[in-house]
Amino acid sequence: MFNYKEIMQQGLWQNNPGLVQLLGLCPLLATSSTLTNALGLGLATMLVLMSTNLMVSLIRHQVPNEIRIPVFVMVIAAVVTAIEQLMHAYTYALYQSLGIFIPLIVTNCIVIGRAEAFASKNAVLPAIVDGLMMGLGFTAVLASLGAVREVLGQGTLFDGADALLGSWATVLRVELYQSDSHFLLAILPPGAFMVLGCLIAAKNAIDLRHKKRRQQVKTITRARVTHSAGAETATGGN
Amino acid sequence: MSFRIASSPHNHSQQHTSILMRKVALACIPGIAAQCYFFGYGVLIQLLLAVITAWASEALILHWRGKPVLIRLKDHSALLTAVLLAVAIPPFAPWWIIVLGTAFAIIVVKQLYGGLGHNLFNPAMAAYVLLLISFPQQMTSWLPPQSLQAQQQHLLDPVCTVFTDFSCAGYSLTQQKTDVDGMTMATPLDTLKTDLAAGRTVSESHQHKIFAAIGGIGWNWVNLAFLAGGLWLLQQKIIQWRIPLALLGSLALCSLLAYLIDADRNGSPLFHLFSGGTMLAAFFIATDPVSASTTERGRLVYGALIGLLIFVIRRFGGYPDAVAFAVMLANLAVPLIDYYTRPRTYGHRPKGAH
């Protein structure tokens, strides 16, 4: 029985591709200037991850070990091409605004990384779940980065959401504040690096707090035990 | 009872950080006075806002980091950052520009990198770059010198403009920038750059009223005042001669070469030396002991690199002045410069000798 909860934790938090592995930085930084673009690329990457993990897992016994990487890359390229054609057909505006970064999913290290590290060694169902969770983790980071940058740089949220979700989505657009002089840095690449740095710092701070709390609980239980190792060293110091 | 054993060198300099920083800030006074005289007292409002913001954000982040607040505030490094940023930005920029910039300089550039002594970049210049690329319109709106202004400045105009974007009589900053001939004025460097881009020659560009003096009216005196402050710092042994001399020398050499090759398309060396932020950069910004090179030969290289970059960006770049970009790029090169200019340890052979 496979531990799906573990896969979920790894993908969404402990081994998050955006915040911990720092993989796929190029699309992460280039397409996260608005929430819509970020969500679009995140979802596309997630679809690619699930499909490639599925296929790689299916063929894992047939592929000779020596040429596995070229085979994986060709599987990934085929899937990405299919996704690109689908986006071209159904979300044309988004396809245009994401541009070169859709075909570039092929070179995204997360995809080849998961194929090599997980899918090529595990059964089909865990591989799909892993792809889904890694993709969700990546999308979450991308979307929060996009949201922060869009709010700072344009004062809006979900600007152009209709390009991703269809014409009804124009109602999603929120105008948070109106300003003549936008904070251009947030939209420019250096802003992406800074916001990503803040996100990573926030994640580390949360982890640290959890760790401290767990340690505190431990020391309390130990203090109740008489003649514990800690008490002895404390008295021995005098 | 403990005997403190101090390691060598035992010859102790009495220059504490706080005295050093205070003297550098004091040396800015002539430059600030010149700016007040030619461009109105807006710079004083910017100074006030910057110092308040710097102290507040320094205290706040020191409190967060669990460090002693008062001792660190007393070293005056935050004050100096605030002063340098305030004299660098346009005196009539809206109040939130300087508040945002100073907070960024202290919180992100200085304290997030570990506080005083750990910052890779000069905080004031990093903040200036942030402001310049985020708000290019506000950051390039320098008023013409008062003698060339069409509208008579009201006594309270600097206050009104900084806090409401309009003068007390209701003129916008663009209207205030208009000179007596009804032309919108820019800084001398900006004017020259625009004219050269439009295909005019330097001598044609110098027909503008602002070029009545070398470096531009007002700007030459501001630069001379900063030069005077810098010379006082040299005399007080707060800064060493290497960085300023190398910077000014390399800028003068580059601009002289360009001027000799094509005098129609390049400003004269004197123009480059006494316009924009050259003197401020040479004596006050590039000499920051934290972000500059630490070896003697390295300081020469570092200064010369900044001078070269200032010339290259002014001549070929997209922005009229280049001090902030040049200093930041040179800051990035400092570890490399330091690595290759390490002084020979006493008793060891020079490199290559066997």
Side-chain angles (χ1 to χ4, degrees):
Chain A
M1 184 57 210
F2 218 90
N3 190 353
Y4 290 106
K5 201 181 155 199
E6 173 72 18
I7 298 181
M8 199 171 90
Q9 277 182 347
Q10 288 287 333
L12 292 183
W13 189 259
Q14 282 163 8
N15 213 4
N16 185 300
L19 292 182
V20 181
Q21 304 182 59
L22 293 179
L23 291 178
L25 278 184
C26 167
L28 190 75
L29 299 171
T31 62
S32 62
S33 55
T34 67
L35 183 53
T36 312
N37 279 358
L39 265 182
L41 193 89
L43 292 177
T45 311
M46 190 175 85
L47 268 179
V48 171
L49 259 171
M50 287 170 67
S51 329
T52 53
N53 269 13
L54 164 74
M55 282 186 218
V56 167
S57 177
L58 276 176
I59 58 170
R60 69 187 191 276
H61 295 306
Q62 280 73 42
V63 178
N65 201 32
E66 291 78 11
I67 58 157
R68 66 188 193 285
I69 299 290
V71 173
F72 294 165
V73 169
M74 281 169 65
V75 169
I76 294 166
V79 171
V80 171
T81 311
I83 300 268
E84 189 198 353
Q85 297 296 323
L86 280 174
M87 290 182 78
H88 197 162
Y90 293 105
T91 58
Y92 185 62
L94 191 69
Y95 170 83
Q96 279 191 314
S97 80
L98 287 178
I100 187 68
F101 289 99
I102 307 171
L104 272 183
I105 297 176
V106 178
T107 60
N108 195 327
C109 323
I110 304 169
V111 183
I112 187 84
R114 289 329 284 177
E116 164 73 10
F118 196 91
S120 64
K121 293 169 188 143
N122 288 291
V124 174
L125 200 57
I128 296 178
V129 175
D130 180 73
L132 175 69
M133 287 307 159
M134 283 289 162
L136 269 182
F138 186 66
T139 311
V141 175
L142 206 61
S144 29
L145 201 59
V148 173
R149 288 178 71 191
E150 191 178 338
V151 168
L152 286 179
Q154 302 185 7
T156 60
L157 263 182
F158 275 117
D159 187 32
D162 47 324
L164 175 65
L165 301 167
S167 54
W168 66 271
T170 41
V171 295
L172 282 176
R173 187 177 187 279
V174 187
E175 178 115 27
L176 291 171
Y177 62 91
Q178 181 79 45
S179 168
D180 289 337
S181 40
H182 291 305
F183 191 51
L184 280 179
L185 187 87
I187 303 178
L188 294 170
F193 277 108
M194 285 183 194
V195 176
L196 181 67
C198 292
L199 286 181
I200 294 173
K203 184 203 175 273
N204 288 349
I206 294 171
D207 279 350
L208 209 67
R209 184 169 291 180
H210 271 276
K211 211 171 158 189
K212 254 186 203 159
R213 202 174 289 164
R214 224 173 290 148
Q215 276 175 347
Q216 270 176 356
V217 173
K218 268 181 195 164
T219 46
I220 288 166
T221 48
R222 233 184 232 170
R224 285 179 185 161
V225 181
T226 47
H227 300 296
S228 69
E232 268 170 30
T233 46
T235 50
N238 277 332
Chain B
M1 186 153 168
S2 66
F3 292 100
R4 284 200 302 158
I5 302 172
S7 69
S8 61
H10 302 290
N11 184 3
H12 186 236
S13 152
Q14 296 300 319
Q15 308 267 29
H16 292 286
T17 311
S18 61
I19 299 173
L20 213 115
M21 297 285 175
R22 203 191 308 148
K23 278 189 175 166
V24 178
L26 282 178
C28 286
I29 288 177
I32 295 168
Q35 269 201 27
C36 281
Y37 181 76
F38 286 103
F39 300 101
Y41 66 90
V43 63
L44 296 181
I45 306 171
Q46 306 287 358
L47 260 177
L48 191 71
L49 287 170
V51 171
I52 293 172
T53 315
W55 276 339
S57 36
E58 179 104 330
L60 184 74
I61 195 148
L62 283 174
H63 179 72
W64 276 347
R65 293 181 62 202
K67 307 261 178 191
V69 173
L70 219 61
I71 301 172
R72 301 289 174 94
L73 273 186
K74 275 187 188 158
D75 69 19
H76 295 313
S77 59
L79 174 86
L80 183 60
T81 301
V83 170
L84 290 179
L85 186 62
V87 296
I89 74 165
F92 282 55
W95 62 272
W96 47 266
I97 290 265
I98 186 77
V99 170
L100 187 74
T102 317
F104 178 81
I106 299 291
I107 293 175
V108 178
V109 187
K110 185 173 159 203
Q111 292 291 351
L112 283 192
Y113 279 92
L116 180 66
H118 297 277
N119 43 308
L120 280 176
F121 298 105
N122 186 315
M125 286 303 102
Y128 186 89
V129 167
L130 170 98
L131 294 173
L132 184 60
I133 61 175
S134 297
F135 310 104
Q137 195 214 331
Q138 285 87 348
M139 285 297 285
T140 48
S141 295
W142 284 82
L143 285 189
Q146 282 184 338
S147 57
L148 295 185
Q149 283 169 13
Q151 267 90 34
Q152 198 63 44
Q153 283 279 330
H154 189 265
L155 188 64
L156 280 176
D157 265 358
V159 182
C160 292
T161 315
V162 168
F163 288 101
T164 65
D165 288 354
F166 291 98
S167 74
C168 296
Y171 291 113
S172 74
L173 200 55
T174 323
Q175 283 169 318
Q176 291 185 61
K177 272 169 70 182
T178 312
D179 73 351
V180 278
D181 295 336
M183 287 170 64
T184 309
M185 295 291 290
T187 63
L189 280 170
D190 206 355
T191 313
L192 184 66
K193 179 150 226 136
T194 318
D195 280 348
L196 287 178
R200 297 190 195 96
T201 62
V202 172
S203 47
E204 280 170 350
S205 174
H206 278 27
Q207 301 300 316
H208 284 283
K209 279 205 179 67
I210 197 157
F211 289 109
I214 292 170
I217 295 177
W219 290 90
N220 53 351
W221 286 105
V222 171
N223 271 287
L224 281 174
F226 278 120
L227 174 64
L231 291 178
W232 180 70
L233 285 180
L234 275 179
Q235 187 260 327
Q236 292 283 309
K237 294 186 178 168
I238 303 285
I239 58 174
Q240 289 185 326
W241 55 270
R242 288 185 180 81
I243 294 177
L245 191 78
L247 193 157
L248 296 176
S250 108
L251 178 60
L253 186 72
C254 293
S255 48
L256 180 69
L257 282 177
Y259 187 67
L260 289 179
I261 292 169
D262 189 355
D264 275 347
R265 313 229 1 109
N266 292 288
S268 69
L270 277 178
F271 173 75
H272 276 291
L273 287 182
F274 289 100
S275 197
T278 309
M279 291 297 167
L280 179 70
F283 290 96
F284 293 86
I285 287 162
T287 52
D288 168 27
V290 178
S291 57
S293 175
T294 50
T295 63
E296 295 194 341
R297 274 186 302 148
R299 284 183 176 146
L300 288 174
V301 176
Y302 173 78
L305 179 66
I306 296 180
L308 173 73
L309 285 171
I310 290 180
F311 172 75
V312 168
I313 301 175
R314 273 185 187 173
R315 178 66 185 81
F316 304 103
Y319 289 96
D321 205 354
V323 165
F325 292 110
V327 169
M328 276 189 85
L329 285 169
N331 283 162
L332 277 177
V334 159
L336 189 75
I337 296 172
D338 279 355
Y339 178 82
Y340 283 108
T341 56
R342 269 183 301 188
R344 182 174 65 91
T345 317
Y346 182 71
H348 285 249
R349 285 171 198 284
K351 224 181 262 176
H354 294 288

